[in-house]
Amino acid sequence: SLCEMLFRQAESLQPSLSEPLPEARFSSRKRTAINKEQIFHLLERAAGTTEYPPPSLLEVGQRFGYQPTTLYKINQTACHAIAERFTAYRRGLREKRLEGYHEEIRQIALYLQAEQVALTQRHIGRYLAQPAILRDPHVRTILREVCHEIKERN
């Protein structure tokens, strides 16, 4: 056959997985009737919790054993509240991180100005703990604002 002629070992053409399959996020379960009322109340409770950090809807779904799409079908309002709280939490983390970058860039810029080195992205990037943060457009905007602020002070 063509396979034998090209590969000489036909069994090498059999597909096989080199690594085992990753574990599924949601355990498979038998299709049973969903107690929608119970899930509705569980979602209400999860939406009103003061847990910190707030769980994502995916995490809530994993706790209850249901996928987020199923949860949305049962109680859309609570799901939106859970998702919004998690989004606000993530937004707050990002703002704190950007504030930290602002302060780091400001300190470096003041040092470079004292050393009479031009305040450029390249010069400031050399002193950053994580120079790759300059790829973020928000961080580059912070860099420009800090440089402009320092230049105007003099």
Side-chain angles (χ1 to χ4, degrees), residues 125-149:
R126 289 181 185 155
Y127 292 92
L128 287 170
Q130 296 175 333
I133 63 170
L134 291 173
R135 293 182 191 143
D136 185 339
H138 294 97
V139 175
R140 285 196 307 271
T141 301
I142 290 171
L143 176 89
R144 284 190 293 275
E145 289 171 359
V146 167
C147 290
H148 183 71
E149 172 192 325

Side-chain angles (χ1 to χ4, degrees), residues 16-17 27 34 58 60 64 83 93 139 151-152:
S16 63
L17 297 175
S27 60
I34 297 173
L58 181 66
V60 171
F64 299 157
L93 288 179
V139 175
K151 287 177 184 176
E152 284 208 355

Side-chain angles (χ1 to χ4, degrees), residues 18-35:
S18 59
E19 296 178 15
L21 290 174
E23 206 172 295
R25 284 189 173 188
F26 295 92
S27 60
S28 59
R29 57 185 190 88
K30 294 180 182 176
R31 291 196 178 265
T32 58
I34 297 173
N35 186 343

Side-chain angles (χ1 to χ4, degrees), residues 81-95:
I82 292 167
E84 180 55 38
R85 187 163 173 252
F86 182 72
T87 301
Y89 165 73
R90 294 291 302 227
R91 198 177 300 124
L93 288 179
R94 178 166 174 76
E95 288 173 11

